[in-house]
Amino acid sequence: MPETNETINRGNLLFRLALVTRRWRQVLDTEIQVSGLTDATWRPLLHLHLLGDGTRQKDLAESLGIKGPSIVRLLDTLLDKGLLRRQEDVSDRRAKLLFLTGDGQLLVNRIQEKVMTLENALFSSFGDGEISRMAEFIERLEANIYQAQRSVKP
């Protein structure tokens, strides 16, 4: 049930989207923790999978919304667990590239199964046309946000 009974409009749409996103993450965290995985384990692995092998460490940090020193500690833990590997970028020795290991990919597959099950349940009341319209809306919104970010960068 929504935290507010207020009708969704232009003035609160992004706020409500943020609430939906936060609740979705809480549902995921709860469901995935049952499998013994913490937020600090599953999120970076899933983001790396979605971004693709060879993603720069700084790009993964940005995707997760984590600052430099925190991502290094987090990645060190995942490296120690054998879930990913890190190597220098030959085009920029300061940059580090990240790759899932076989064990990391197996874990991502388990995570994706859980995510798909939850998504199927959440989207079961929506038709394909509604999903397509929602996807178009999100893509346009992302493009507008990207443009706004570019215009405010120093």
Side-chain angles (χ1 to χ4, degrees), residues 6-15 140:
E6 189 177 337
T7 301
I8 298 173
N9 57 47
R10 283 181 182 266
N12 66 11
L13 179 60
L14 293 176
F15 173 75
R140 285 177 38 211

Side-chain angles (χ1 to χ4, degrees), residues 84-146:
L84 60 84
R85 64 183 176 82
R86 180 170 38 201
Q87 71 182 45
E88 284 185 359
D89 184 344
V90 293
S91 65
D92 180 355
R93 291 200 175 275
R94 297 169 298 172
K96 304 292 185 227
L97 303 177
L98 301 169
F99 300 84
L100 289 171
T101 63
D103 287 345
Q105 186 59 56
L106 288 173
L107 192 51
V108 165
N109 293 345
R110 282 185 30 218
I111 294 165
Q112 284 185 306
E113 286 176 23
K114 289 214 175 275
V115 170
M116 285 181 64
T117 299
L118 290 168
E119 285 176 345
N120 287 337
L122 289 173
F123 291 137
S124 66
S125 67
F126 294 94
D128 290 343
E130 290 173 300
I131 297 293
S132 292
R133 284 190 300 280
M134 192 182 315
E136 290 170 12
F137 168 80
I138 291 169
E139 287 170 350
R140 285 177 38 211
L141 184 58
E142 285 177 330
N144 291 345
I145 291 170
Y146 176 74

